[in-house]
Structure formats: C-alpha cells, structure tokens
Amino acid sequence: MAAPYTPAPTARGGRIKGHRIVFHVTAVLVALIFLAPIFWVAMASFRPTAMSLRPPLPPWPTDNFTLDNYVRLENFGQSILHYTANSAIVAIGTAVLTIAVALLAGYGFSRYRFPLKPLAFVLILSTIMIPFQSILTPLFLLLARMGLQNSHLGLILVYTTLQLPFSVFMMKNAFDAVPKEIEEAARMDGIKGMRLLWQVMVPLVVPGMVTSGLFAFLNAWNEFLAALVLLSDQDKFTLPVLMTAVRYGRYGAVDWGAVQAGVTVMMIPCLVLFLILQRSYIRGLTAGAVK
Amino acid sequence: MSNTVPDPSPDAPPTPRAPRRTDWQGLVYVLPALGLVAVFFLVPLGMTMWMSLHDWPLLGNPRWIGTANYTRLWGDTSFWNAMRFTVIYTIVATIGLMGVAMALALMVQSEGRAITMYRTAYFLPVVTGFASASLLWAWLANVDAGLFSPLVQMLGITEGRVNLLARFDLAFWSVTIMVVWKMAGFYMVILMSGLQSIPSDYQEAARIDGASWFQRFRWITMPLVRQPFALALILCVSGSMLAFDQFYIILNGGPRNQTITAVYKIFNESFVSFRLGYGSALSVVLLIILMVLSAIQLWLLRDKGDK
C-alpha cells in the first residue's frame, strides 16, 4: 500500500497530503469506536467467572483464558448448542422457504400475464407498509388455533411472510434482467415448465437468490419480539429470547459472563456471513435507494 | 459507422416478442406467496380491527363492546405517555442517526482500499441484530460489571460510580447512543448510494467557480441526494416509532416505567395483562399514526418536478 514517492512536493501537494493524513487518522479512530464494543464483548467472554463481575479493564483474560462462560450457559435449560441449533433451524428454514417462494413468485410476476396480476403484486408489496408489530396480537391467536404457536415452523412461516415484499421485488427484478431470448431458445429445444425455470432460469438469478436468502437469514436469526411472544417452552427458545432470560438472571443475580458468551455466539455468524457476502448485502440495501 | 455492417439494436425493427400467454400458470407460481400473505398478514390485519371492538381475554369468551376500547384509550394517560416518549425518542434518534450517517457517507463515498475497509467497519454493527446489541449495551452500561462507570471514574469526571441505567436522562441517552452506533452504517450505505450517483463534474465545476465546501454540500449534494435521503428518513422514523427490543432488553421499561414505548405498551397489554382486545385497539391507533407520518414525509420530500 506504499504510495509511490512523489519528488519535490509543492506547497499545494503538501497541504493535500496533510489533509489526507488527518482524514485517515479520523477515519481509523471512528472505525475503532464502531468496532470496540464487538471486540470488547468477544474478548470478555473468555475471562474466568470470577472476573466477569468486575469491570472489563482490560477486556481480555489477565490470568487464564477459559471457556467457562460458554459452558455455564448449560445451566439455563439445555446446552447452548441446543439453542444455537434452534436459531439455526429457524433462520435457515426462513432463508430456504423465502428463496423458494420468492423465486416462484418473481418468475410468475416477471414472465406471465394472468388475471389480477397488478393487484396481487401490490398486495404483496403493500405488506411492507404495515409493521408486523401491529398484527402480532391476532397472529398469536391465529397460530395457536392452527397448532403452530410455540413451534419453529410457525415462526418460519411468519418470518418468511415478513420477508416477501423485499424478496419478491428482488426476484422479479432479477428475472426482468434476464433476456427473453434465452427462454425462447430453451423453448425451441423443447424445455418448458418447471424444468425451464429450474435448469435455465435459476442459474441466471443466483445473485438475487443469495441476496434474498442472506437478508432472510439475518433477519430471522436476530428477530426478537415475535419469537418472544410466540415461543413459550424454554427448550424451543431462539438465542435472543434465551439470552434475555439469562440477562434478567434467576434469583436476581445476573451472570454477565454468560451474557458475554451468548452475545458472542449470536454475533459471530452474522459477522462472518456478512463479511463473506458483503457484495450481496450492499446490493440488496441499495436496490431500494437508487430509483 | 459504416452502413454495410447491419446494426441490430437501435434502428432494426423490434424483434417479435414471444406471445405472452394470458393464462393461469403465472398465478400458480405466485400462489405460495399470496397464500402466505393472505394467512399470515391479511387475516391477522382484519382480526386486529375485529378484536379491537371486543373485550377479548386470553381465556374465556370475547365480548362485543363496540368502540369502548377506543374511548378508554382516549383517556389512557399511560398509552399517551408511551406515545409521547416514542415520539421524543424518534426525533432524537432520527436527528442523531441522519447526522452521523451523513457524516460517515461523506467520509467513505470515494473509492479506495482503505475507504472500503472503513466502510465495512462502520457497517459491522448493523448486522449484529438489536437483541445482541442491546444485551451488549446492557452489560457495558451495568454499574458493577460494565465499562462506562469505571471509564468515567478513570477520566475523573465523577468520584463515585455512575449507574447509567438508573436515571431517566442517562438511560435515554445511552440507549439512543447505542442505536446510533448500531444503525448509522445502515443509513450511511443508503445515503452513500445517492452521493455516488452524483456526476463528479458538478462538484468540479462548482469548485472551479469558487464555491466553498459548504456551498457545494448545500446546493449540489443535498438536492441530489434528496431521494435516498427521503428513503433513509422514512425508514428511520418508522423504525424508531416501532422501537421495542432495546428498551425491553436494556431498561425493562425502567426507570419508573418512563421508557415504555408504544410497541412495548401494546406488548404489555396483549401479552402481560392478556387484554388482547385493548392491545389490538392500541395497535390500530399506532398503525394509523404511522401511516399518517409516512404520508406526511412522502409529501414533504416528494420529487418536485424535475428539480
């Protein structure tokens, strides 16, 4: 990253260089502020139990590195792995179902003409205008009546519905960008129906599918209020709900070491997924911003 | 530019389109999505209205009471207190978020390896989720095991320990700062996409004409990022109006129930007191307030012709 040496800097060049140094120093300091809390909690989660009740200065373990905080999450019902699996089932289930449903709907909206099509499209998109928080009360009753309350499947169906306006819009745009000629050529070769969608079209809209799936996964993994309301058995809890129970502590004592460990477990998959799929994420985010 | 080479795109007659069949097959593809929206969105939306006209306990039979929930709501100071708190929080959080996000967006709009790294760093808190961020903050703000109290003492600001979460003003500001930390990167990306779509010769021309940095920001940048700015603003206002996780997890409504937001109040009525009908009425009112707010913002920030 070493900049090529520029001989004999003029007064103007010198000033610009000074500006740049000030800029980069500021930018790095701001970056440290944004990253510090994440770094702090991850480091503190490896401190021994006795230290977790003392201020985290420094955040890393000073006598010995330990996984005690993670092990202690066992005491809250099942093991931490069990709850991580719950969260993973819900998040992966939501991502897969969202991709499947949005893929079909995006294809239908992009390539077919059928009665009431504009109405159907507006109906799906309009759900974005109405926050799910305002329909949570009846949703609770409805799921109870369907036998889906307190079940991961119920949560997956609700989360998938919440993802639809974004992901159907995303997938329709992805299909719109595929030239019609490709389908026509395939039709001439005698490929049609689901085979046409699966073998010819799907490989062309993979980026849209990745973006839809990524948003669905992250939103489902992190969602709190609906999970808090809809899950009642402790062994069904997803991580955010479990960790809230841990945070309030039993008998009034809060186990901050366990909270640090839980927060770390919740954050790591999101950070890793984002760092791998940064491009997809940013594309999804800016799709709505520019036109 | 020789005419001997046939140029297929602009002047050639349009290629015959495949006949788009008007049939039901498209509807079949769309059906799963429509089904989900109908069952998990339209039905509960209708039920919200219906339930709001009932006395609807969790157990036992619902009883039709007409608009009684709404008349009761009108005089319910605890709901309007929650509403007022939500609005104040929304105003403060929105100003903080848009300001910080705009500053960050201006910092990272150009390209470069270092800039890309800053962008990623500012964005990382966004993907952590509100529950994780809130738990993290609850720990850092804790008076015994947290970081802020010893930090403030070390810096010599106060002698004694500081319990950030016990006093209303400190609790409010610490939660708001947490939200700015967590969400600024999100709005930064939206604003950045707008900044990057401004042709650089505009800025260049203005610079040559001797416009100052502020003049260029006010008269070139701001008008041209109007659309993404409007989107960010609407997302920020409606998101803040629906705040729940951070106040529930960090403060549990305290100190002295002063940090109950509108959604928190609905949660309490429906799922703590099990007054589902009353909770539904509160939902309907919140929904109407949100839609009016969005409409006002859309109207204020609408695209005025070709400007």
Side-chain angles (χ1 to χ4, degrees):
Chain A
M1 273 212 274
Y5 172 65
T6 31
T10 60
R12 190 165 171 272
R15 210 182 67 216
I16 284 176
K17 215 169 170 199
H19 271 294
R20 286 188 56 188
I21 291 168
V22 171
F23 168 77
H24 283 290
V25 168
T26 317
V28 168
L29 284 178
V30 176
L32 288 179
I33 292 173
F34 273 84
L35 295 179
I38 297 172
F39 171 79
W40 222 270
V41 77
M43 283 294 117
S45 70
F46 299 117
R47 302 199 313 165
T49 315
M51 285 177 75
S52 72
L53 281 173
R54 276 182 278 139
L57 288 168
W60 47 84
T62 46
D63 38 20
N64 66 322
F65 174 95
T66 169
L67 290 173
D68 275 1
N69 290 325
Y70 293 85
V71 174
R72 231 171 29 262
L73 278 171
E74 304 259 348
N75 298 338
F76 295 90
Q78 315 275 335
S79 77
I80 184 73
L81 281 177
H82 174 90
Y83 296 106
T84 309
N86 283 353
S87 273
I89 289 167
V90 171
I92 293 171
T94 304
V96 170
L97 191 63
T98 300
I99 291 174
V101 173
L103 182 79
L104 291 174
Y107 185 57
F109 282 125
S110 174
R111 289 301 199 259
Y112 288 89
R113 214 181 289 179
F114 52 88
L116 301 179
K117 176 175 154 177
L119 179 72
F121 192 61
V122 167
L123 199 65
I124 291 175
L125 284 198
S126 69
T127 59
I128 212 166
M129 301 285 291
I130 293 175
F132 83 95
Q133 288 89 339
S134 63
I135 58 166
L136 201 54
T137 308
L139 210 48
F140 171 81
L141 285 184
L142 190 73
L143 286 171
R145 201 148 302 176
M146 295 167 79
L148 287 172
Q149 188 247 344
N150 195 23
S151 87
H152 292 151
L153 178 63
L155 219 48
I156 289 172
L157 292 170
V158 170
Y159 289 163
T160 301
T161 310
L162 297 180
Q163 281 309 122
L164 284 182
F166 169 76
S167 51
V168 169
F169 186 68
M170 189 89 214
M171 290 317 296
K172 181 188 177 295
N173 284 349
F175 279 111
D176 283 347
V178 177
K180 295 243 180 339
E181 287 73 15
I182 290 178
E183 265 167 296
E184 282 156 23
R187 280 221 173 80
M188 273 183 230
D189 291 341
I191 305 173
K192 53 188 173 191
M194 283 301 280
R195 251 188 79 210
L196 175 72
L197 173 62
W198 188 247
Q199 293 182 341
V200 180
M201 299 299 280
V202 163
L204 299 171
V205 293
V206 165
M209 290 164 66
V210 171
T211 306
S212 304
L214 177 64
F215 274 81
F217 180 92
L218 289 179
N219 288 347
W221 179 272
N222 287 324
E223 206 283 332
F224 174 64
L225 176 56
L228 177 71
V229 166
L230 297 174
L231 299 175
S232 43
D233 286 349
Q234 187 174 279
D235 60 320
K236 295 262 175 65
F237 281 0
T238 55
L239 285 170
V241 182
L242 172 83
M243 290 317 300
T244 313
V246 172
R247 178 247 185 284
Y248 286 128
R250 292 179 303 183
Y251 322 117
V254 181
D255 183 346
W256 288 110
V259 170
Q260 293 149 10
V263 168
T264 308
V265 172
M266 279 197 275
M267 283 184 168
I268 297 296
C270 304
L271 299 181
V272 170
L273 257 186
F274 170 72
L275 289 174
I276 296 171
L277 297 172
Q278 233 181 100
R279 213 171 276 265
S280 304
Y281 197 104
I282 301 296
R283 186 188 40 231
L285 210 55
T286 49
V290 189
K291 298 243 154 119
Chain B
M1 277 288 169
S2 79
N3 285 329
T4 51
V5 180
D7 181 9
S9 41
D11 297 316
T15 44
R17 301 214 160 195
R20 293 227 285 167
R21 287 164 300 161
T22 301
D23 63 4
W24 295 91
Q25 205 180 339
L27 192 62
V28 174
Y29 286 122
V30 174
L31 220 50
L34 275 181
L36 280 174
V37 167
V39 175
F40 295 104
F41 183 78
L42 289 182
V43 169
L45 185 62
M47 278 173 77
T48 307
M49 317 280 174
W50 178 245
M51 288 172 72
S52 74
L53 301 171
H54 288 76
D55 176 22
W56 199 302
L58 183 66
L59 304 167
N61 289 325
R63 192 167 53 88
W64 174 270
I65 52 169
T67 55
N69 279 328
Y70 291 95
T71 30
R72 179 174 152 208
L73 180 161
W74 189 250
D76 183 350
T77 47
S78 70
F79 175 66
W80 294 112
N81 281 341
M83 213 61 226
R84 195 183 59 209
F85 175 72
T86 311
V87 170
I88 291 171
Y89 164 74
T90 298
I91 293 170
V92 174
T94 303
I95 293 173
L97 269 171
M98 298 313 272
V100 173
M102 184 53 96
L104 294 178
L106 289 169
M107 276 173 77
V108 299
Q109 59 171 317
S110 54
E111 295 301 328
R113 198 181 299 172
I115 303 262
T116 311
M117 278 161 60
Y118 302 147
R119 222 179 269 170
T120 305
Y122 306 158
F123 193 81
L124 273 183
V126 175
V127 293
T128 58
F130 260 105
S132 325
S134 302
L135 285 160
L136 166 55
W137 221 255
W139 163 57
L140 290 178
N142 180 265
V143 62
D144 298 314
L147 179 64
F148 294 130
S149 184
L151 213 57
V152 168
Q153 278 172 291
M154 256 172 54
L155 295 173
I157 298 172
T158 53
E159 287 281 301
R161 303 194 307 167
V162 188
N163 192 347
L164 274 181
L165 306 181
R167 254 176 62 187
F168 171 74
D169 52 348
L170 293 179
F172 174 80
W173 285 108
S174 60
V175 170
T176 309
I177 288 169
M178 184 284 276
V179 171
V180 172
W181 167 76
K182 180 186 162 356
M183 289 304 286
F186 179 84
Y187 299 107
M188 170 192 81
V189 170
I190 293 178
L191 294 175
M192 202 181 73
S193 70
L195 290 175
Q196 286 176 339
S197 66
I198 300 174
S200 58
D201 21 337
Y202 286 20
Q203 301 279 6
E204 219 35 67
R207 209 195 310 256
I208 289 165
D209 288 347
S212 71
W213 182 89
F214 180 78
Q215 283 172 320
R216 277 179 283 135
F217 177 73
R218 172 68 190 85
W219 299 107
I220 298 176
T221 311
M222 277 316 279
L224 286 168
V225 291
R226 193 186 184 94
Q227 231 182 344
F229 191 83
L231 177 81
L233 193 66
I234 289 171
L235 287 178
C236 190
V237 168
S238 49
S240 309
M241 287 294 291
L242 295 166
F244 172 78
D245 298 12
Q246 61 270 41
F247 290 104
Y248 180 84
I249 294 175
I250 301 179
L251 299 173
N252 200 10
R256 290 196 308 279
N257 288 343
Q258 285 169 303
T259 59
I260 303 270
T261 61
V263 171
Y264 202 153
K265 177 73 183 158
I266 295 172
F267 170 84
N268 277 342
E269 288 298 335
S270 290
F271 302 109
V272 178
S273 313
F274 294 115
R275 287 189 282 259
L276 305 189
Y278 191 56
S280 299
L282 299 184
S283 300
V284 172
V285 171
L286 175 65
L287 192 58
I288 292 169
I289 291 174
L290 276 173
M291 295 187 108
V292 170
L293 265 182
S294 296
I296 292 174
Q297 288 179 84
L298 279 174
W299 179 73
L300 283 176
L301 293 159
R302 72 195 181 281
D303 236 357
K304 286 174 186 137
D306 54 351
K307 262 188 190 169

